[in-house]
């Protein structure tokens, strides 16, 4: 029937978008990008951050991206998508609700994010990047970023 076909089409479309966003985020990690904005992630599937229905759908897609990556390899791929709050790039509140529903326990969300981000980078790292050294966090003043320290080939 027509409603069943429509529902199947919507389900397939969402699955395709989850796959595209996951691939986009994995590619960003391989490029060394520490986070992406909602706008960048949404643009990867031709959605608009200023359209409320697109934003709501993107939240659902990111939840599925994180659920899927958590189930497959214990990682939270959706954590790369951030919004700026109080001058800090941080995932949405929905991301933190999801992590708790998945069983993650932490007292400091910033430390949790740093640990999980390093796990992501170590998992998806290319051999060429790995040879450049270990990934660590560097804080200078109020700025924090991922850097490589030392060389794994020495």
């Amino acid at each position: 029937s027509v409603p069943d076909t429509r529902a199947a089409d919507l389900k397939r479309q969402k699955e395709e978008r989850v796959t595209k966003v996951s691939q986009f985020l994995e590619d960003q990690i391989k490029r060394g990008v520490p986070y992406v904005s909602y706008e960048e992630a949404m643009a990867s599937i031709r959605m608009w951050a200023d359209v409320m229905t697109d934003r709501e759908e993107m939240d659902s897609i990111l939840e599925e991206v994180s659920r899927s990556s958590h189930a497959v390899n214990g990682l939270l791929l959706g954590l790369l998508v951030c919004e700026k709050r109080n001058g800090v790039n941080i995932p949405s509140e929905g991301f933190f609700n999801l992590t708790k529903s998945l069983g993650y326990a932490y007292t400091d969300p910033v430390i949790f994010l740093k640990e999980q981000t390093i796990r992501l980078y170590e998992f998806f790292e290319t051999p060429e990047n790995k040879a450049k050294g270990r990934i660590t966090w560097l804080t200078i003043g109020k700025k924090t970023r991922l850097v490589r320290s030392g060389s794994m080939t020495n």
Side-chain angles (χ1 to χ4, degrees), residues 30-82:
K30 291 172 186 173
R31 290 181 48 228
V33 175
Y35 62 86
V36 297
S37 68
Y38 268 86
E39 292 80 4
E40 292 169 309
M42 292 177 79
S44 75
I45 52 172
R46 294 188 168 93
M47 295 177 84
W48 301 96
D50 58 349
V51 175
M52 187 52 72
T53 54
D54 281 4
R55 181 67 183 240
E56 290 167 356
E57 185 175 347
M58 187 63 178
D59 287 341
S60 174
I61 289 168
L62 287 172
E63 179 178 333
E64 189 56 38
V65 164
S66 287
R67 282 186 184 283
S68 177
S69 65
H70 171 76
V72 171
N73 51 37
L75 301 170
L76 297 166
L77 191 54
L79 78 80
L80 287 183
V81 182
C82 294

Side-chain angles (χ1 to χ4, degrees), residues 68-153:
S68 177
S69 65
H70 171 76
V72 171
N73 51 37
L75 301 170
L76 297 166
L77 191 54
L79 78 80
L80 287 183
V81 182
C82 294
E83 56 193 7
K84 199 161 211 115
R85 283 190 276 163
N86 301 322
V88 177
N89 291 304
I90 194 162
S92 71
E93 199 58 44
F95 171 80
F96 292 103
N97 294 336
L98 173 64
T99 61
K100 293 194 176 174
S101 76
L102 291 173
Y104 290 89
Y106 50 88
T107 53
D108 186 333
V110 173
I111 291 172
F112 173 74
L113 288 173
K114 286 180 178 182
E115 292 169 350
Q116 294 301 314
T117 301
I118 287 174
R119 289 188 66 222
L120 273 175
Y121 277 81
E122 288 174 345
F123 184 83
F124 287 107
E125 216 168 21
T126 64
E128 299 80 32
N129 284 343
K130 194 170 222 159
K132 294 176 186 172
R134 189 168 172 270
I135 300 169
T136 59
W137 287 94
L138 175 66
T139 302
I140 300 174
K142 293 183 179 182
K143 300 248 184 210
T144 301
R145 62 188 176 107
L146 286 170
V147 297
R148 295 196 178 274
S149 62
S151 172
M152 303 299 276
T153 59

